[in-house]
């Protein structure tokens, strides 16, 4: 992988997300749905404010580009944007619920297997080919999931759903590259806000009155939502999915270390075996890419 601005953007995004639990864990007593509501609404408001105040010319230029597209391309863009927004919000909710009410290990496991699941889905959806060793790593991944299911079936289910939703988001946004990524993210958040708004009066809890809630929500929206999402979308503009997949491992490894050494979560034998098999499958899965990088360095 060439170290350039796209590489650094992806690495920065996944590193930032790796420390997300530090801001989310203190909100453990608040309902996950409430955290989702405030996260989406605040992110939407801030994104729209930034676009109107500082990026108005960029918005006008992208509107011109959209109007110049054929009806087919317009439908493609709108479909990918709407689907991406729904997948992102669903992924957020499941991740926050798993982290605060299941375990940080289940969230870590989700993003460890996410690159492999992304490639499997790309095989069926985008018709991308897999090598023998990549299929072998998939088998190891399945064995790991089977072992983990005996020790923590609930955690495994959440891990798989989180991984699948984020994998589908990555695949959909890899093809959604006609417009400014910040504007795409703004549209996705606006759509998510419109969809969630009718449910807020019915399903939201008591309005929080603690200042720490709003301080942490601002930190989550700015530092752990807008900045890394923009960096990730920007990276997808100049990197292929497999390269982004390798850097994605930064996120769960940081989560895993925080879970053990900072939050002191319990590690069962099933967890240790499963995570070990996943780490082995990661090396095997990326063997071709790592070998290619070595060959380039030797020239």
């Amino acid at each position: 992988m060439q170290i350039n601005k796209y590489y650094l953007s992806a690495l920065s995004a996944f590193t930032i997300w790796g420390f997300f639990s530090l801001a989310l864990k203190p909100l453990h007593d608040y309902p996950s749905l409430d955290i989702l509501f405030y996260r989406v609404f605040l992110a939407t408001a801030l994104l729209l404010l930034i676009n109107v105040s500082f990026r108005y010319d960029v918005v006008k230029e992208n509107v011109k580009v959209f109007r110049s597209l054929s009806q087919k391309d317009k439908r493609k863009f709108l479909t990918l944007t709407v689907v991406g927004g729904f997948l992102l919000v669903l992924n957020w909710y499941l991740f926050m619920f798993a982290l605060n009410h299941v375990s940080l290990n289940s969230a870590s496991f989700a993003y460890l297997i996410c690159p492999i699941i992304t490639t499997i889905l790309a095989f069926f959806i985008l018709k991308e080919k897999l090598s023998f060793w990549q299929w072998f790593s998939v088998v190891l991944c399945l064995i790991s999931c089977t072992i983990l299911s005996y020790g923590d079936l609930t955690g495994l289910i959440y891990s798989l759903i989180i991984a699948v939703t984020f994998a589908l988001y990555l695949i959909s946004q890899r093809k959604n590259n006609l417009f400014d990524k910040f504007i795409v993210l703004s549209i996705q958040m606006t759509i998510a806000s419109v969809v969630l708004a009718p449910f807020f009066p019915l399903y939201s809890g008591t309005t929080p009155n603690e200042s720490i809630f709003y301080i942490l929500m601002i930190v989550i929206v700015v530092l752990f939502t807008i900045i890394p999402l923009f960096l990730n979308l920007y990276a997808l503009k100049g990197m292929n999915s497999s390269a982004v997949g390798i850097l994605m491992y930064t996120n769960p490894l940081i989560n895993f270390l925080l879970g053990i050494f900072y939050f002191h979560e319990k590690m069962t034998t099933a967890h240790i075996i499963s995570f070990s098999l996943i780490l082995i499958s990661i090396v095997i899965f990326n063997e071709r890419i790592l070998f290619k990088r070595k060959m380039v360095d030797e020239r």
Side-chain angles (χ1 to χ4, degrees):
M1 288 181 294
Q2 182 183 1
I3 298 179
N4 53 28
K5 58 184 180 181
Y6 301 111
Y7 175 96
L8 293 176
S9 294
L11 180 62
S12 298
F14 293 122
T15 299
I16 291 171
W17 271 325
F19 292 96
F20 184 31
S21 58
L22 296 178
L24 191 58
K25 275 287 190 180
L27 298 176
H28 176 273
D29 294 331
Y30 296 93
S32 298
L33 194 55
D34 276 4
I35 298 174
L36 178 67
F37 283 141
Y38 284 96
R39 185 184 185 186
V40 172
F41 295 156
L42 288 174
T44 302
L46 185 56
L47 285 167
L48 292 177
L49 179 62
I50 292 173
N51 279 311
V52 172
S53 302
F54 305 105
R55 309 184 80 248
Y56 188 67
D57 290 339
V58 179
V59 173
K60 287 200 302 182
E61 183 63 31
N62 277 259
V63 170
K64 290 181 181 179
V65 174
F66 178 77
R67 289 176 176 173
S68 67
L69 296 177
S70 64
Q71 289 299 320
K72 179 180 179 181
D73 288 336
K74 287 180 180 178
R75 285 195 297 270
K76 177 182 177 182
F77 165 72
L78 292 174
T79 300
L80 290 175
T81 301
V82 171
V83 170
F86 278 111
L87 288 171
L88 193 60
V89 170
L90 178 59
N91 179 264
W92 283 1
Y93 175 74
L94 292 170
F95 176 81
M96 291 186 296
F97 184 87
L99 193 149
N100 272 346
H101 302 288
V102 182
S103 71
L104 183 54
N105 286 333
S106 64
S108 302
F109 190 78
Y111 288 105
L112 277 175
I113 63 177
C114 186
I116 295 178
I117 290 181
T118 300
T119 304
I120 296 173
L121 292 176
F123 171 80
F124 290 105
I125 298 174
L126 303 179
K127 309 302 180 182
E128 294 182 358
K129 294 182 179 180
L130 294 179
S131 68
F132 168 80
W133 291 110
Q134 286 178 320
W135 278 118
F136 182 69
S137 68
V138 170
V139 173
L140 287 180
C141 180
L142 293 174
I143 295 174
S144 174
C145 292
T146 302
I147 294 173
L148 189 62
S149 66
Y150 286 100
D152 187 11
L153 180 59
T154 300
L156 174 63
I157 292 173
Y158 275 100
S159 296
L160 290 174
I161 298 176
I162 292 170
V164 169
T165 54
F166 195 68
L168 289 172
Y169 174 74
L170 288 178
I171 291 174
S172 65
Q173 299 315 294
R174 186 72 180 90
K175 297 296 183 180
N176 194 12
N177 54 11
L178 294 176
F179 298 92
D180 178 85
K181 295 301 183 181
F182 199 86
I183 292 177
V184 172
L185 179 59
S186 301
I187 296 173
Q188 289 177 336
M189 288 298 94
T190 301
I191 293 172
S193 293
V194 171
V195 172
L196 290 175
F199 298 98
F200 181 73
L202 299 175
Y203 296 101
S204 63
T206 305
T207 302
N209 52 22
E210 298 85 359
S211 59
I212 187 63
F213 175 85
Y214 296 100
I215 292 173
L216 288 174
M217 285 308 306
I218 292 174
V219 172
I220 288 173
V221 167
V222 176
L223 183 60
F224 295 107
T225 302
I226 293 177
I227 293 176
L229 271 176
F230 174 71
L231 290 171
N232 185 55
L233 288 172
Y234 180 77
L236 286 172
K237 188 176 180 180
M239 296 178 66
N240 57 45
S241 301
S242 58
V244 174
I246 293 178
L247 295 179
M248 191 187 298
Y249 296 123
T250 308
N251 178 357
L253 290 176
I254 293 175
N255 274 327
F256 179 72
L257 293 175
L258 285 175
I260 295 177
F261 297 107
Y262 187 81
F263 295 109
H264 306 292
E265 289 193 352
K266 181 181 178 182
M267 285 291 292
T268 65
T269 302
H271 280 113
I272 295 173
I273 295 174
S274 297
F275 275 85
S276 298
L277 283 175
I278 284 297
L279 290 175
I280 294 172
S281 70
I282 288 171
V283 175
I284 296 174
F285 184 81
N286 296 300
E287 180 271 339
R288 180 171 57 86
I289 299 173
L290 295 174
F291 179 74
K292 181 179 179 181
R293 181 182 62 176
K294 181 179 179 181
M295 291 295 293
V296 171
D297 291 342
E298 289 175 350
R299 291 180 180 178

